[in-house]
Amino acid sequence: MRALTWHGAKDVRVDTVDDPEIVNPRDAIIKITSTAICGSDLHLYDGVIPGCKPGDILGHENMGEVVEVGPKSTLKKGQRVVIPFTISCGGCFHCNMEQYSACENSNPAEKQDASAALYGQPMGGLFGYSHLTGGYSGGQAEYLRVPYSDFGPIVIPDHLEDDKVLFLSDILPTGWMAAENADIQPDDTVAVWGCGPVGLFAIQSALAMGAAQVIAIDHYPHRLELARKLGAKIINFRETHVQDALMEMSGGIGVDAVIDAVGMEAHGFAFDNMLEVVKQKVGIGADRAHALRMALLAVRFGGKVSIPGVYGGLTDKFPTGALMEKGVQLKTGQTHVQKYLKTLLAKIEDGTLDTTFLISHRLPLEQAAEGYKNFKEQQDTWTKVVLKPGMEATA
Ligand SMILES: NC(=O)c1ccc[n+]([C@@H]2O[C@H](COP(=O)([O-])OP(=O)(O)OC[C@H]3O[C@@H](n4cnc5c(N)ncnc54)[C@H](O)[C@@H]3O)[C@@H](O)[C@H]2O)c1
Ligand SMILES: [Zn+2]
Ligand SMILES: [Zn+2]
């Protein structure tokens, strides 16, 4: 089959690789109909997440049609399914607590050492996201093997087209959990750093949860405009002093909740960020935490901090003082996707949530490398790329 493979920083290619096969009784194989490129994929593309090997197939935002099932799969051939990016067994200690991204069974024993050394215990398995998370092939391909297919995937009714439901695989639950982790109360002012897909869905979710005002921060005009259309007030950090503006917009006490939807590759010419750009270039595992530092300064005493943005390693000059002295609540993590699927699918079906506005480009799988390059280099207008195997080439 054809698949998008990783070969090093800024080097991804569509290659011919072996078709996936059923390995375990609970597996299923799906024929991919839509698969998206995520901001998390850019961390792999930029080479700042350790543990990728040449030839690895990327892609964790997947949906398609079931074409083969193992004897213990509950799926049926022909069903359309969205696949959570988190691979979870559904029955371990963490899965039983609905902490699905921490599944203890999905990362094979021989792959666990690196993440256990970094984090104290091993990570759960994720699709297409390095050998730290199990080395599973991703779905930016024609076919995908889905482990635990009796537990993870959600079956999609035929009347809902791919574009409406694809983002259930990751960014919609991620935005939702980010807002949930910010513990939003009806009169809250919430500030969101980053108007990428995750930030935009966090904004949409925070407003749906009843936040009084949501303030979106980025430097890309089109992305900020999308945030404004969702109902957020906007701040362009290249034009406005963010800290001063947020103090004024929160009546001088700081914002009630902050959401860092930027993660480990912050942009901007702030001194700490410039220094960290260099550190990240020379050392693997050095995170750029500029947005998180800003968020910790902006949150009010006793406020709430939610971090959906991905961090992988270590960061210097982290404001532990602000964190402790302000007595904030901090919640973060890879999203427990399976926990939110039914609720969010119902909201898509009844029209409460529409995520199709986000898609800026649909490309055939064969043009996936072009999709990565533009999603990286033309972030303002390339807001979300959906890859479709078999689609006709575009100009
Ligand atoms: N927790 C999870 O399970 C999970 C799931 C999906 C994605 N993520 C992570 O969420 C983050 C965002 O993902 P995305 O797909 O929206 O990525 P993206 O790269 O498309 O968007 C990031 C946005 O942040 C903005 N930004 C950069 N520096 C900034 C700064 N200093 N201040 C304000 N804005 C700034 C960029 O301009 C961009 O618009 C990534 O780190 C991604 O890895 C986490
Ligand atoms: Zn993703
Ligand atoms: Zn589990």
mmCIF file with all atom_site columns, all heavy atoms in Angstrom, residues 39-40 43 85 170 174 196-198 218-220 223 261-262 267 308 310 333-335 379, ligand 1:
data_model
loop_
_atom_site.group_PDB
_atom_site.id
_atom_site.type_symbol
_atom_site.label_atom_id
_atom_site.label_alt_id
_atom_site.label_comp_id
_atom_site.label_asym_id
_atom_site.label_entity_id
_atom_site.label_seq_id
_atom_site.pdbx_PDB_ins_code
_atom_site.Cartn_x
_atom_site.Cartn_y
_atom_site.Cartn_z
_atom_site.occupancy
_atom_site.B_iso_or_equiv
_atom_site.pdbx_formal_charge
_atom_site.auth_seq_id
_atom_site.auth_comp_id
_atom_site.auth_asym_id
_atom_site.auth_atom_id
_atom_site.pdbx_PDB_model_num
ATOM   1   N N   . GLY A 1 39  ? -1.057 19.307 14.601 1.00 0.00 ? 39  GLY A N   1
ATOM   2   C CA  . GLY A 1 39  ? 0.048  20.088 15.157 1.00 0.00 ? 39  GLY A CA  1
ATOM   3   C C   . GLY A 1 39  ? 1.051  19.187 15.853 1.00 0.00 ? 39  GLY A C   1
ATOM   4   O O   . GLY A 1 39  ? 2.258  19.466 15.863 1.00 0.00 ? 39  GLY A O   1
ATOM   5   N N   . SER A 1 40  ? 0.582  18.092 16.424 1.00 0.00 ? 40  SER A N   1
ATOM   6   C CA  . SER A 1 40  ? 1.495  17.132 17.061 1.00 0.00 ? 40  SER A CA  1
ATOM   7   C C   . SER A 1 40  ? 2.410  16.486 16.024 1.00 0.00 ? 40  SER A C   1
ATOM   8   O O   . SER A 1 40  ? 3.558  16.157 16.317 1.00 0.00 ? 40  SER A O   1
ATOM   9   C CB  . SER A 1 40  ? 0.716  16.034 17.787 1.00 0.00 ? 40  SER A CB  1
ATOM   10  O OG  . SER A 1 40  ? -0.064 16.571 18.823 1.00 0.00 ? 40  SER A OG  1
ATOM   11  N N   . HIS A 1 43  ? 5.617  18.347 15.457 1.00 0.00 ? 43  HIS A N   1
ATOM   12  C CA  . HIS A 1 43  ? 6.740  18.097 16.382 1.00 0.00 ? 43  HIS A CA  1
ATOM   13  C C   . HIS A 1 43  ? 7.605  16.939 15.855 1.00 0.00 ? 43  HIS A C   1
ATOM   14  O O   . HIS A 1 43  ? 8.817  16.941 16.022 1.00 0.00 ? 43  HIS A O   1
ATOM   15  C CB  . HIS A 1 43  ? 6.233  17.761 17.795 1.00 0.00 ? 43  HIS A CB  1
ATOM   16  C CG  . HIS A 1 43  ? 5.300  18.774 18.398 1.00 0.00 ? 43  HIS A CG  1
ATOM   17  N ND1 . HIS A 1 43  ? 5.482  20.128 18.252 1.00 0.00 ? 43  HIS A ND1 1
ATOM   18  C CD2 . HIS A 1 43  ? 4.190  18.626 19.168 1.00 0.00 ? 43  HIS A CD2 1
ATOM   19  C CE1 . HIS A 1 43  ? 4.502  20.772 18.900 1.00 0.00 ? 43  HIS A CE1 1
ATOM   20  N NE2 . HIS A 1 43  ? 3.703  19.882 19.464 1.00 0.00 ? 43  HIS A NE2 1
ATOM   21  N N   . PHE A 1 85  ? -6.898 8.490  18.682 1.00 0.00 ? 85  PHE A N   1
ATOM   22  C CA  . PHE A 1 85  ? -5.427 8.412  18.505 1.00 0.00 ? 85  PHE A CA  1
ATOM   23  C C   . PHE A 1 85  ? -4.766 7.658  19.648 1.00 0.00 ? 85  PHE A C   1
ATOM   24  O O   . PHE A 1 85  ? -3.660 7.160  19.521 1.00 0.00 ? 85  PHE A O   1
ATOM   25  C CB  . PHE A 1 85  ? -4.814 9.807  18.337 1.00 0.00 ? 85  PHE A CB  1
ATOM   26  C CG  . PHE A 1 85  ? -4.619 10.621 19.604 1.00 0.00 ? 85  PHE A CG  1
ATOM   27  C CD1 . PHE A 1 85  ? -3.396 10.617 20.269 1.00 0.00 ? 85  PHE A CD1 1
ATOM   28  C CD2 . PHE A 1 85  ? -5.627 11.409 20.109 1.00 0.00 ? 85  PHE A CD2 1
ATOM   29  C CE1 . PHE A 1 85  ? -3.184 11.378 21.412 1.00 0.00 ? 85  PHE A CE1 1
ATOM   30  C CE2 . PHE A 1 85  ? -5.434 12.170 21.255 1.00 0.00 ? 85  PHE A CE2 1
ATOM   31  C CZ  . PHE A 1 85  ? -4.222 12.153 21.908 1.00 0.00 ? 85  PHE A CZ  1
ATOM   32  N N   . ASP A 1 170 ? -9.185 13.081 17.582 1.00 0.00 ? 170 ASP A N   1
ATOM   33  C CA  . ASP A 1 170 ? -8.181 13.750 18.417 1.00 0.00 ? 170 ASP A CA  1
ATOM   34  C C   . ASP A 1 170 ? -8.595 15.161 18.807 1.00 0.00 ? 170 ASP A C   1
ATOM   35  O O   . ASP A 1 170 ? -8.982 15.429 19.938 1.00 0.00 ? 170 ASP A O   1
ATOM   36  C CB  . ASP A 1 170 ? -6.827 13.770 17.676 1.00 0.00 ? 170 ASP A CB  1
ATOM   37  C CG  . ASP A 1 170 ? -5.754 14.558 18.418 1.00 0.00 ? 170 ASP A CG  1
ATOM   38  O OD1 . ASP A 1 170 ? -6.055 15.166 19.452 1.00 0.00 ? 170 ASP A OD1 1
ATOM   39  O OD2 . ASP A 1 170 ? -4.592 14.574 17.979 1.00 0.00 ? 170 ASP A OD2 1
ATOM   40  N N   . THR A 1 174 ? -9.740 16.794 22.299 1.00 0.00 ? 174 THR A N   1
ATOM   41  C CA  . THR A 1 174 ? -8.615 17.491 22.948 1.00 0.00 ? 174 THR A CA  1
ATOM   42  C C   . THR A 1 174 ? -9.009 18.914 23.347 1.00 0.00 ? 174 THR A C   1
ATOM   43  O O   . THR A 1 174 ? -8.721 19.364 24.458 1.00 0.00 ? 174 THR A O   1
ATOM   44  C CB  . THR A 1 174 ? -7.370 17.484 22.031 1.00 0.00 ? 174 THR A CB  1
ATOM   45  O OG1 . THR A 1 174 ? -6.941 16.128 21.890 1.00 0.00 ? 174 THR A OG1 1
ATOM   46  C CG2 . THR A 1 174 ? -6.234 18.308 22.605 1.00 0.00 ? 174 THR A CG2 1
ATOM   47  N N   . GLY A 1 196 ? -4.472 27.410 16.728 1.00 0.00 ? 196 GLY A N   1
ATOM   48  C CA  . GLY A 1 196 ? -4.452 26.262 15.835 1.00 0.00 ? 196 GLY A CA  1
ATOM   49  C C   . GLY A 1 196 ? -5.705 25.453 16.099 1.00 0.00 ? 196 GLY A C   1
ATOM   50  O O   . GLY A 1 196 ? -6.583 25.866 16.878 1.00 0.00 ? 196 GLY A O   1
ATOM   51  N N   . PRO A 1 197 ? -5.827 24.299 15.471 1.00 0.00 ? 197 PRO A N   1
ATOM   52  C CA  . PRO A 1 197 ? -7.004 23.458 15.665 1.00 0.00 ? 197 PRO A CA  1
ATOM   53  C C   . PRO A 1 197 ? -7.343 23.207 17.134 1.00 0.00 ? 197 PRO A C   1
ATOM   54  O O   . PRO A 1 197 ? -8.503 23.308 17.530 1.00 0.00 ? 197 PRO A O   1
ATOM   55  C CB  . PRO A 1 197 ? -6.601 22.162 14.951 1.00 0.00 ? 197 PRO A CB  1
ATOM   56  C CG  . PRO A 1 197 ? -5.653 22.610 13.879 1.00 0.00 ? 197 PRO A CG  1
ATOM   57  C CD  . PRO A 1 197 ? -4.903 23.757 14.448 1.00 0.00 ? 197 PRO A CD  1
ATOM   58  N N   . VAL A 1 198 ? -6.347 22.895 17.941 1.00 0.00 ? 198 VAL A N   1
ATOM   59  C CA  . VAL A 1 198 ? -6.621 22.593 19.349 1.00 0.00 ? 198 VAL A CA  1
ATOM   60  C C   . VAL A 1 198 ? -7.116 23.839 20.088 1.00 0.00 ? 198 VAL A C   1
ATOM   61  O O   . VAL A 1 198 ? -8.103 23.802 20.825 1.00 0.00 ? 198 VAL A O   1
ATOM   62  C CB  . VAL A 1 198 ? -5.366 21.997 20.030 1.00 0.00 ? 198 VAL A CB  1
ATOM   63  C CG1 . VAL A 1 198 ? -5.551 21.899 21.534 1.00 0.00 ? 198 VAL A CG1 1
ATOM   64  C CG2 . VAL A 1 198 ? -5.060 20.623 19.441 1.00 0.00 ? 198 VAL A CG2 1
ATOM   65  N N   . ASP A 1 218 ? -2.657 34.754 19.477 1.00 0.00 ? 218 ASP A N   1
ATOM   66  C CA  . ASP A 1 218 ? -1.841 34.139 18.417 1.00 0.00 ? 218 ASP A CA  1
ATOM   67  C C   . ASP A 1 218 ? -1.195 35.288 17.661 1.00 0.00 ? 218 ASP A C   1
ATOM   68  O O   . ASP A 1 218 ? -1.308 36.457 18.085 1.00 0.00 ? 218 ASP A O   1
ATOM   69  C CB  . ASP A 1 218 ? -2.732 33.267 17.484 1.00 0.00 ? 218 ASP A CB  1
ATOM   70  C CG  . ASP A 1 218 ? -1.937 32.172 16.761 1.00 0.00 ? 218 ASP A CG  1
ATOM   71  O OD1 . ASP A 1 218 ? -0.969 32.508 16.039 1.00 0.00 ? 218 ASP A OD1 1
ATOM   72  O OD2 . ASP A 1 218 ? -2.270 30.985 16.918 1.00 0.00 ? 218 ASP A OD2 1
ATOM   73  N N   . HIS A 1 219 ? -0.507 34.995 16.554 1.00 0.00 ? 219 HIS A N   1
ATOM   74  C CA  . HIS A 1 219 ? 0.033  36.095 15.748 1.00 0.00 ? 219 HIS A CA  1
ATOM   75  C C   . HIS A 1 219 ? -0.389 35.983 14.292 1.00 0.00 ? 219 HIS A C   1
ATOM   76  O O   . HIS A 1 219 ? 0.013  36.784 13.463 1.00 0.00 ? 219 HIS A O   1
ATOM   77  C CB  . HIS A 1 219 ? 1.567  36.162 15.856 1.00 0.00 ? 219 HIS A CB  1
ATOM   78  C CG  . HIS A 1 219 ? 2.278  34.942 15.361 1.00 0.00 ? 219 HIS A CG  1
ATOM   79  N ND1 . HIS A 1 219 ? 3.259  34.998 14.394 1.00 0.00 ? 219 HIS A ND1 1
ATOM   80  C CD2 . HIS A 1 219 ? 2.153  33.629 15.692 1.00 0.00 ? 219 HIS A CD2 1
ATOM   81  C CE1 . HIS A 1 219 ? 3.720  33.760 14.171 1.00 0.00 ? 219 HIS A CE1 1
ATOM   82  N NE2 . HIS A 1 219 ? 3.060  32.922 14.941 1.00 0.00 ? 219 HIS A NE2 1
ATOM   83  N N   . TYR A 1 220 ? -1.193 34.964 13.985 1.00 0.00 ? 220 TYR A N   1
ATOM   84  C CA  . TYR A 1 220 ? -1.645 34.795 12.608 1.00 0.00 ? 220 TYR A CA  1
ATOM   85  C C   . TYR A 1 220 ? -3.043 35.387 12.439 1.00 0.00 ? 220 TYR A C   1
ATOM   86  O O   . TYR A 1 220 ? -4.002 34.921 13.067 1.00 0.00 ? 220 TYR A O   1
ATOM   87  C CB  . TYR A 1 220 ? -1.678 33.322 12.238 1.00 0.00 ? 220 TYR A CB  1
ATOM   88  C CG  . TYR A 1 220 ? -0.312 32.707 12.075 1.00 0.00 ? 220 TYR A CG  1
ATOM   89  C CD1 . TYR A 1 220 ? 0.032  31.528 12.724 1.00 0.00 ? 220 TYR A CD1 1
ATOM   90  C CD2 . TYR A 1 220 ? 0.640  33.311 11.246 1.00 0.00 ? 220 TYR A CD2 1
ATOM   91  C CE1 . TYR A 1 220 ? 1.281  30.957 12.559 1.00 0.00 ? 220 TYR A CE1 1
ATOM   92  C CE2 . TYR A 1 220 ? 1.903  32.742 11.077 1.00 0.00 ? 220 TYR A CE2 1
ATOM   93  C CZ  . TYR A 1 220 ? 2.216  31.572 11.735 1.00 0.00 ? 220 TYR A CZ  1
ATOM   94  O OH  . TYR A 1 220 ? 3.446  31.009 11.576 1.00 0.00 ? 220 TYR A OH  1
ATOM   95  N N   . ARG A 1 223 ? -6.023 32.930 11.523 1.00 0.00 ? 223 ARG A N   1
ATOM   96  C CA  . ARG A 1 223 ? -6.363 32.044 12.643 1.00 0.00 ? 223 ARG A CA  1
ATOM   97  C C   . ARG A 1 223 ? -7.069 32.837 13.746 1.00 0.00 ? 223 ARG A C   1
ATOM   98  O O   . ARG A 1 223 ? -8.042 32.361 14.346 1.00 0.00 ? 223 ARG A O   1
ATOM   99  C CB  . ARG A 1 223 ? -5.108 31.344 13.168 1.00 0.00 ? 223 ARG A CB  1
ATOM   100 C CG  . ARG A 1 223 ? -4.595 30.283 12.193 1.00 0.00 ? 223 ARG A CG  1
ATOM   101 C CD  . ARG A 1 223 ? -3.434 29.470 12.750 1.00 0.00 ? 223 ARG A CD  1
ATOM   102 N NE  . ARG A 1 223 ? -3.163 28.330 11.879 1.00 0.00 ? 223 ARG A NE  1
ATOM   103 C CZ  . ARG A 1 223 ? -2.649 27.168 12.280 1.00 0.00 ? 223 ARG A CZ  1
ATOM   104 N NH1 . ARG A 1 223 ? -2.319 26.990 13.535 1.00 0.00 ? 223 ARG A NH1 1
ATOM   105 N NH2 . ARG A 1 223 ? -2.454 26.188 11.434 1.00 0.00 ? 223 ARG A NH2 1
ATOM   106 N N   . ALA A 1 261 ? -2.497 26.070 24.383 1.00 0.00 ? 261 ALA A N   1
ATOM   107 C CA  . ALA A 1 261 ? -2.704 25.208 23.207 1.00 0.00 ? 261 ALA A CA  1
ATOM   108 C C   . ALA A 1 261 ? -1.596 25.460 22.188 1.00 0.00 ? 261 ALA A C   1
ATOM   109 O O   . ALA A 1 261 ? -1.824 25.406 20.980 1.00 0.00 ? 261 ALA A O   1
ATOM   110 C CB  . ALA A 1 261 ? -4.087 25.452 22.605 1.00 0.00 ? 261 ALA A CB  1
ATOM   111 N N   . VAL A 1 262 ? -0.407 25.768 22.683 1.00 0.00 ? 262 VAL A N   1
ATOM   112 C CA  . VAL A 1 262 ? 0.761  25.978 21.817 1.00 0.00 ? 262 VAL A CA  1
ATOM   113 C C   . VAL A 1 262 ? 1.706  24.786 21.936 1.00 0.00 ? 262 VAL A C   1
ATOM   114 O O   . VAL A 1 262 ? 2.042  24.138 20.958 1.00 0.00 ? 262 VAL A O   1
ATOM   115 C CB  . VAL A 1 262 ? 1.499  27.289 22.188 1.00 0.00 ? 262 VAL A CB  1
ATOM   116 C CG1 . VAL A 1 262 ? 2.789  27.425 21.382 1.00 0.00 ? 262 VAL A CG1 1
ATOM   117 C CG2 . VAL A 1 262 ? 0.596  28.493 21.964 1.00 0.00 ? 262 VAL A CG2 1
ATOM   118 N N   . HIS A 1 267 ? 6.286  30.187 19.100 1.00 0.00 ? 267 HIS A N   1
ATOM   119 C CA  . HIS A 1 267 ? 6.866  31.160 18.177 1.00 0.00 ? 267 HIS A CA  1
ATOM   120 C C   . HIS A 1 267 ? 7.154  32.460 18.934 1.00 0.00 ? 267 HIS A C   1
ATOM   121 O O   . HIS A 1 267 ? 6.673  32.652 20.053 1.00 0.00 ? 267 HIS A O   1
ATOM   122 C CB  . HIS A 1 267 ? 5.884  31.518 17.048 1.00 0.00 ? 267 HIS A CB  1
ATOM   123 C CG  . HIS A 1 267 ? 5.346  30.350 16.296 1.00 0.00 ? 267 HIS A CG  1
ATOM   124 N ND1 . HIS A 1 267 ? 4.271  30.434 15.441 1.00 0.00 ? 267 HIS A ND1 1
ATOM   125 C CD2 . HIS A 1 267 ? 5.721  29.047 16.278 1.00 0.00 ? 267 HIS A CD2 1
ATOM   126 C CE1 . HIS A 1 267 ? 4.011  29.260 14.909 1.00 0.00 ? 267 HIS A CE1 1
ATOM   127 N NE2 . HIS A 1 267 ? 4.867  28.378 15.411 1.00 0.00 ? 267 HIS A NE2 1
ATOM   128 N N   . PRO A 1 308 ? -3.185 21.518 27.116 1.00 0.00 ? 308 PRO A N   1
ATOM   129 C CA  . PRO A 1 308 ? -3.300 20.485 26.081 1.00 0.00 ? 308 PRO A CA  1
ATOM   130 C C   . PRO A 1 308 ? -2.065 20.445 25.175 1.00 0.00 ? 308 PRO A C   1
ATOM   131 O O   . PRO A 1 308 ? -1.787 19.418 24.558 1.00 0.00 ? 308 PRO A O   1
ATOM   132 C CB  . PRO A 1 308 ? -4.527 20.908 25.285 1.00 0.00 ? 308 PRO A CB  1
ATOM   133 C CG  . PRO A 1 308 ? -4.601 22.392 25.469 1.00 0.00 ? 308 PRO A CG  1
ATOM   134 C CD  . PRO A 1 308 ? -4.049 22.677 26.839 1.00 0.00 ? 308 PRO A CD  1
ATOM   135 N N   . VAL A 1 310 ? 1.483  19.908 23.664 1.00 0.00 ? 310 VAL A N   1
ATOM   136 C CA  . VAL A 1 310 ? 2.382  18.787 23.971 1.00 0.00 ? 310 VAL A CA  1
ATOM   137 C C   . VAL A 1 310 ? 3.769  19.281 24.385 1.00 0.00 ? 310 VAL A C   1
ATOM   138 O O   . VAL A 1 310 ? 4.355  20.145 23.730 1.00 0.00 ? 310 VAL A O   1
ATOM   139 C CB  . VAL A 1 310 ? 2.495  17.834 22.755 1.00 0.00 ? 310 VAL A CB  1
ATOM   140 C CG1 . VAL A 1 310 ? 3.731  16.934 22.859 1.00 0.00 ? 310 VAL A CG1 1
ATOM   141 C CG2 . VAL A 1 310 ? 1.246  16.962 22.652 1.00 0.00 ? 310 VAL A CG2 1
ATOM   142 N N   . GLY A 1 333 ? -2.345 16.668 29.958 1.00 0.00 ? 333 GLY A N   1
ATOM   143 C CA  . GLY A 1 333 ? -2.269 15.260 29.551 1.00 0.00 ? 333 GLY A CA  1
ATOM   144 C C   . GLY A 1 333 ? -2.653 15.013 28.109 1.00 0.00 ? 333 GLY A C   1
ATOM   145 O O   . GLY A 1 333 ? -3.317 15.834 27.468 1.00 0.00 ? 333 GLY A O   1
ATOM   146 N N   . GLN A 1 334 ? -2.197 13.874 27.607 1.00 0.00 ? 334 GLN A N   1
ATOM   147 C CA  . GLN A 1 334 ? -2.701 13.389 26.328 1.00 0.00 ? 334 GLN A CA  1
ATOM   148 C C   . GLN A 1 334 ? -4.188 13.086 26.561 1.00 0.00 ? 334 GLN A C   1
ATOM   149 O O   . GLN A 1 334 ? -4.572 12.570 27.608 1.00 0.00 ? 334 GLN A O   1
ATOM   150 C CB  . GLN A 1 334 ? -1.971 12.110 25.904 1.00 0.00 ? 334 GLN A CB  1
ATOM   151 C CG  . GLN A 1 334 ? -0.480 12.296 25.610 1.00 0.00 ? 334 GLN A CG  1
ATOM   152 C CD  . GLN A 1 334 ? -0.221 12.969 24.266 1.00 0.00 ? 334 GLN A CD  1
ATOM   153 O OE1 . GLN A 1 334 ? -1.139 13.256 23.501 1.00 0.00 ? 334 GLN A OE1 1
ATOM   154 N NE2 . GLN A 1 334 ? 1.046  13.233 23.983 1.00 0.00 ? 334 GLN A NE2 1
ATOM   155 N N   . THR A 1 335 ? -4.992 13.390 25.573 1.00 0.00 ? 335 THR A N   1
ATOM   156 C CA  . THR A 1 335 ? -6.447 13.321 25.753 1.00 0.00 ? 335 THR A CA  1
ATOM   157 C C   . THR A 1 335 ? -6.949 11.887 25.944 1.00 0.00 ? 335 THR A C   1
ATOM   158 O O   . THR A 1 335 ? -6.491 10.975 25.264 1.00 0.00 ? 335 THR A O   1
ATOM   159 C CB  . THR A 1 335 ? -7.133 13.946 24.531 1.00 0.00 ? 335 THR A CB  1
ATOM   160 O OG1 . THR A 1 335 ? -6.632 15.269 24.412 1.00 0.00 ? 335 THR A OG1 1
ATOM   161 C CG2 . THR A 1 335 ? -8.640 13.981 24.684 1.00 0.00 ? 335 THR A CG2 1
ATOM   162 N N   . GLN A 1 379 ? 1.201  28.451 8.107  1.00 0.00 ? 379 GLN A N   1
ATOM   163 C CA  . GLN A 1 379 ? 0.239  28.126 9.164  1.00 0.00 ? 379 GLN A CA  1
ATOM   164 C C   . GLN A 1 379 ? -0.996 29.022 9.159  1.00 0.00 ? 379 GLN A C   1
ATOM   165 O O   . GLN A 1 379 ? -2.079 28.570 9.496  1.00 0.00 ? 379 GLN A O   1
ATOM   166 C CB  . GLN A 1 379 ? 0.922  28.244 10.534 1.00 0.00 ? 379 GLN A CB  1
ATOM   167 C CG  . GLN A 1 379 ? 1.774  27.051 10.888 1.00 0.00 ? 379 GLN A CG  1
ATOM   168 C CD  . GLN A 1 379 ? 1.741  26.746 12.373 1.00 0.00 ? 379 GLN A CD  1
ATOM   169 O OE1 . GLN A 1 379 ? 1.958  27.626 13.186 1.00 0.00 ? 379 GLN A OE1 1
ATOM   170 N NE2 . GLN A 1 379 ? 1.465  25.515 12.723 1.00 0.00 ? 379 GLN A NE2 1
HETATM 171 N N1  . LIG B 2 .   ? -3.010 16.812 24.614 1.00 0.00 ? 1   LIG B N1  1
HETATM 172 C C1  . LIG B 2 .   ? -3.278 16.159 23.505 1.00 0.00 ? 1   LIG B C1  1
HETATM 173 O O1  . LIG B 2 .   ? -3.760 15.028 23.547 1.00 0.00 ? 1   LIG B O1  1
HETATM 174 C C2  . LIG B 2 .   ? -3.026 16.820 22.194 1.00 0.00 ? 1   LIG B C2  1
HETATM 175 C C3  . LIG B 2 .   ? -3.733 16.406 21.063 1.00 0.00 ? 1   LIG B C3  1
HETATM 176 C C4  . LIG B 2 .   ? -3.517 17.103 19.858 1.00 0.00 ? 1   LIG B C4  1
HETATM 177 C C5  . LIG B 2 .   ? -2.603 18.141 19.804 1.00 0.00 ? 1   LIG B C5  1
HETATM 178 N N2  . LIG B 2 .   ? -1.928 18.500 20.941 1.00 0.00 ? 1   LIG B N2  1
HETATM 179 C C6  . LIG B 2 .   ? -0.954 19.600 20.944 1.00 0.00 ? 1   LIG B C6  1
HETATM 180 O O2  . LIG B 2 .   ? -1.630 20.827 20.991 1.00 0.00 ? 1   LIG B O2  1
HETATM 181 C C7  . LIG B 2 .   ? -0.782 21.838 20.428 1.00 0.00 ? 1   LIG B C7  1
HETATM 182 C C8  . LIG B 2 .   ? -1.544 22.598 19.370 1.00 0.00 ? 1   LIG B C8  1
HETATM 183 O O3  . LIG B 2 .   ? -1.920 21.727 18.320 1.00 0.00 ? 1   LIG B O3  1
HETATM 184 P P1  . LIG B 2 .   ? -2.472 22.348 16.953 1.00 0.00 ? 1   LIG B P1  1
HETATM 185 O O4  . LIG B 2 .   ? -2.841 21.206 16.080 1.00 0.00 ? 1   LIG B O4  1
HETATM 186 O O5  . LIG B 2 .   ? -3.481 23.382 17.242 1.00 0.00 ? 1   LIG B O5  1
HETATM 187 O O6  . LIG B 2 .   ? -1.090 22.983 16.416 1.00 0.00 ? 1   LIG B O6  1
HETATM 188 P P2  . LIG B 2 .   ? -0.714 24.182 15.429 1.00 0.00 ? 1   LIG B P2  1
HETATM 189 O O7  . LIG B 2 .   ? 0.758  24.111 15.291 1.00 0.00 ? 1   LIG B O7  1
HETATM 190 O O8  . LIG B 2 .   ? -1.557 24.153 14.211 1.00 0.00 ? 1   LIG B O8  1
HETATM 191 O O9  . LIG B 2 .   ? -1.117 25.498 16.236 1.00 0.00 ? 1   LIG B O9  1
HETATM 192 C C9  . LIG B 2 .   ? -0.342 26.104 17.201 1.00 0.00 ? 1   LIG B C9  1
HETATM 193 C C10 . LIG B 2 .   ? -0.694 27.582 17.216 1.00 0.00 ? 1   LIG B C10 1
HETATM 194 O O10 . LIG B 2 .   ? 0.006  28.230 18.297 1.00 0.00 ? 1   LIG B O10 1
HETATM 195 C C11 . LIG B 2 .   ? 0.386  29.502 17.862 1.00 0.00 ? 1   LIG B C11 1
HETATM 196 N N3  . LIG B 2 .   ? 1.494  30.012 18.682 1.00 0.00 ? 1   LIG B N3  1
HETATM 197 C C12 . LIG B 2 .   ? 2.806  29.703 18.597 1.00 0.00 ? 1   LIG B C12 1
HETATM 198 N N4  . LIG B 2 .   ? 3.506  30.398 19.510 1.00 0.00 ? 1   LIG B N4  1
HETATM 199 C C13 . LIG B 2 .   ? 2.623  31.150 20.196 1.00 0.00 ? 1   LIG B C13 1
HETATM 200 C C14 . LIG B 2 .   ? 2.751  32.067 21.269 1.00 0.00 ? 1   LIG B C14 1
HETATM 201 N N5  . LIG B 2 .   ? 3.947  32.359 21.780 1.00 0.00 ? 1   LIG B N5  1
HETATM 202 N N6  . LIG B 2 .   ? 1.621  32.668 21.748 1.00 0.00 ? 1   LIG B N6  1
HETATM 203 C C15 . LIG B 2 .   ? 0.409  32.390 21.199 1.00 0.00 ? 1   LIG B C15 1
HETATM 204 N N7  . LIG B 2 .   ? 0.235  31.528 20.163 1.00 0.00 ? 1   LIG B N7  1
HETATM 205 C C16 . LIG B 2 .   ? 1.322  30.924 19.673 1.00 0.00 ? 1   LIG B C16 1
HETATM 206 C C17 . LIG B 2 .   ? 0.797  29.273 16.416 1.00 0.00 ? 1   LIG B C17 1
HETATM 207 O O11 . LIG B 2 .   ? 0.855  30.485 15.692 1.00 0.00 ? 1   LIG B O11 1
HETATM 208 C C18 . LIG B 2 .   ? -0.290 28.328 15.943 1.00 0.00 ? 1   LIG B C18 1
HETATM 209 O O12 . LIG B 2 .   ? -1.401 29.009 15.410 1.00 0.00 ? 1   LIG B O12 1
HETATM 210 C C19 . LIG B 2 .   ? 0.444  21.095 19.890 1.00 0.00 ? 1   LIG B C19 1
HETATM 211 O O13 . LIG B 2 .   ? 1.482  21.131 20.853 1.00 0.00 ? 1   LIG B O13 1
HETATM 212 C C20 . LIG B 2 .   ? -0.056 19.684 19.750 1.00 0.00 ? 1   LIG B C20 1
HETATM 213 O O14 . LIG B 2 .   ? 1.003  18.758 19.821 1.00 0.00 ? 1   LIG B O14 1
HETATM 214 C C21 . LIG B 2 .   ? -2.137 17.858 22.113 1.00 0.00 ? 1   LIG B C21 1
#
